[in-house]
């Protein structure tokens, strides 16, 4: 997953996924605040990238919880990747 704003970006791994949000691993270069609207880019392969806007709802030392601004369909390709 690529997480980006107009000023920052980072790449991390998807931990969990639902229609209302997702959980990602907290990368060492995490530099976002709870007020940021984050652009998420789920890279499925070289030709397929899905995007969603989300906000930070919780974080810990190792994980980040994000809530989508609008409910998202969950593509089967992403579910297969995280199982």
């Amino acid at each position: 997953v690529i997480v980006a704003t107009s000023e920052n970006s980072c790449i991390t791994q998807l931990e969990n996924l639902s229609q209302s949000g997702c959980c990602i691993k907290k990368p060492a270069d995490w530099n976002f605040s709870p007020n940021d609207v984050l652009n998420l880019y789920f890279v499925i392969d070289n030709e397929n990238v899905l995007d969603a806007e989300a906000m930070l709802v919780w974080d810990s030392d190792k994980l980040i919880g994000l809530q989508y601004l609008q409910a998202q369909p969950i593509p089967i390709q992403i579910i297969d990747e995280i199982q």
Side-chain angles (χ1 to χ4, degrees):
V1 178
I2 299 170
V3 182
T5 64
S6 60
E7 299 174 3
N8 297 310
S9 66
C10 65
I11 298 174
T12 188
Q13 289 185 290
L14 185 63
E15 191 70 20
N16 198 340
L17 180 69
S18 74
Q19 287 185 322
S20 61
C22 64
C23 178
I24 59 175
K25 291 187 179 181
K26 188 174 190 176
D29 59 347
W30 184 259
N31 192 24
F32 302 101
S33 69
N35 296 326
D36 290 339
V37 173
L38 305 172
N39 299 301
L40 306 179
Y41 301 96
F42 300 95
V43 180
I44 297 170
D45 57 34
N46 288 341
E47 297 179 7
N48 296 292
V49 177
L50 303 169
D51 65 313
E53 289 184 322
M55 299 216 37
L56 174 70
V57 290
W58 61 267
D59 71 352
S60 69
D61 291 341
K62 296 182 181 181
L63 298 172
I64 302 287
L66 302 169
Q67 181 176 4
Y68 304 132
L69 299 187
Q70 296 181 6
Q72 301 293 313
I74 303 173
I76 193 68
Q77 300 98 319
I78 292 179
I79 294 172
D80 289 345
E81 286 291 318
I82 61 175
Q83 289 183 348

